Amino acid sequence: MNETYFKPEERAVFTLRELYRGYGYLPFKMSKFEEYDLYVRNKDFLIDDRIITFTDMGGKLLALKPDVTLSIIKNGDDIPGYKQKVCYNENVYRVSGSTHHFKEILQTGLECIGDLDTYDIYEVVTLAAASLDTISPRFMLDVSHMGILSALLDDMTANTEVRRSITRCIAEKNAHDLARVCNEAGISSEDADTLCDFVGIYGNMDEVLTRLAPLCRQHEAATIALGELTGLRNHLKQTPYADRVRFDFSIINDMTYYNGVVFCGFLDGICECVLSGGQYNKLMRRMGRQAGAIGFALYLDLLEGLEQAPSAYDVDVLVLYDHSLPPADVSARVAALRAEGKTVSAQRTIPDKLRYATLCDLRKEAAK
């Protein structure tokens, strides 16, 4: 199969499926519909809370699926010592980031749910980097750890709205408004300075860890989270992707759902995050599950923005034949060329504007 003729999102489906299966992630298939209530209860977890709904014949309000993770959690069970590893290629229905209209979007990803350990976290983050690399070597994976900021905020304020305002400012790298929010909330200037330092903490993994150490020293939970991030750094440095991973503490997901490691992936030429994931143990608790969970999703609709190298030819081989040649002979030659991995167009005349690399004229061969 010549992958030159596939769109980036089409190539990604094939290559990522093989990548995930190679690590034991089994295919998960869900129905098109879920009860609307599932998404309403967790709308903050969704990228966009606008959902297509309809009423079924029994009067129940259903929704066209805008998300896969919620369905995987809903349909799983907690089994001590067991890890559910699943991958998926699913069409979800949400507002597209490129068109800003409802669109059927092909999404691929994986989830690791159950009795998680450190290896599982390393594996999923590494697979996130590998996923981006299969699409383009020009990628960047930004990684953060929710436990560090959460630990610092726990010592500063319990006000939910203030915490959301602070995290929003950090996500936007807006130090000015962050200082204002802290002042209005009565947070000490020393603590406000600590939070403002987060705005500028991103870049090389080693450098970021060095800058984080003094900020975490007085907080036991933050120190533990820093140790986890350091372990992840040590692992990533042994992979081929180390030079394309940054630690960036503006990568913040909703603390109501996420804990631990979170990450976003970017591809050169696309301004939006094309891959998003992290640990979501808190979401599991909200849905009545006790297991741990980590996963990510890759938004294939955004790959339409990737520049494709123009192909020099429309087809590898143009096969010419006429009515004097038995169809079986033409078919045999086409099959032989296809077995070599070439694309073939069998024609009685040379089409206008068809670009071909090689001409195979069966008429001349038959005349010899």
Side-chain angles (χ1 to χ4, degrees), residues 28-42 45-46 51 62-77 84 86-88 90-94 107 111 113 280 283-284 287 289:
F28 175 87
K29 187 67 178 176
M30 63 178 288
S31 67
K32 289 185 182 297
F33 315 126
E34 284 280 9
E35 292 186 24
Y36 178 62
D37 187 52
L38 172 67
Y39 302 117
V40 170
R41 292 195 308 267
N42 301 285
F45 179 75
L46 303 175
I51 301 170
L62 300 179
L64 279 171
K65 59 184 179 188
D67 179 78
V68 180
T69 300
L70 293 172
S71 291
I72 293 175
I73 296 173
K74 176 189 173 184
N75 291 290
D77 296 305
Q84 178 190 19
V86 298
C87 61
Y88 58 85
E90 290 281 350
N91 289 316
V92 295
Y93 303 85
R94 61 168 63 135
Q107 178 178 302
E111 310 292 343
I113 299 174
Y280 51 91
L283 173 61
M284 297 288 286
M287 295 184 65
R289 301 281 303 275

Side-chain angles (χ1 to χ4, degrees), residues 4 6 17 106 130 165 173 184 222 226 231 234 237 294 359 366-367:
T4 303
F6 286 97
R17 180 186 301 157
L106 180 59
S165 296
K173 290 185 167 67
E184 292 175 353
L226 180 63
N234 295 340
K237 291 186 77 169
I294 183 171
L359 176 65

Side-chain angles (χ1 to χ4, degrees), residues 145-152 155-156 194 197-198 201 208-230 249:
H145 196 301
M146 298 291 290
I148 295 177
L149 179 58
S150 180
L152 297 181
D155 289 343
M156 297 178 189
T194 297
D197 283 341
F198 266 81
I201 296 183
V208 167
L209 290 174
T210 299
R211 294 183 61 186
L212 280 173
L215 301 181
C216 298
R217 192 169 294 133
Q218 304 300 319
H219 309 268
E220 181 180 359
T223 300
I224 293 172
L226 180 63
E228 294 175 355
L229 197 60
T230 301
F249 278 79

Side-chain angles (χ1 to χ4, degrees), residues 279-290:
Q279 293 175 256
Y280 51 91
N281 294 3
K282 291 183 178 180
L283 173 61
M284 297 288 286
R285 305 296 177 270
R286 286 174 63 98
M287 295 184 65
R289 301 281 303 275
Q290 298 304 309

Side-chain angles (χ1 to χ4, degrees), residues 7-10 12 47 92 94-101 103-108 132 135-136 264-276 297-308:
K7 296 178 181 179
E9 59 271 28
E10 294 171 331
I47 293 177
V92 295
R94 61 168 63 135
V95 176
S96 170
S98 56
T99 66
H100 304 291
H101 296 288
K103 183 179 180 182
E104 183 179 47
I105 298 170
L106 180 59
Q107 178 178 302
T108 190
L132 295 167
I135 299 168
S136 170
C264 283
F266 300 87
L267 294 172
D268 187 28
I270 300 178
C271 61
E272 298 179 70
C273 169
V274 301
L275 181 149
S276 179
L298 184 63
Y299 312 115
L300 297 180
D301 66 309
L302 296 177
L303 301 189
E304 296 173 358
L306 277 180
E307 292 184 4
Q308 299 186 67

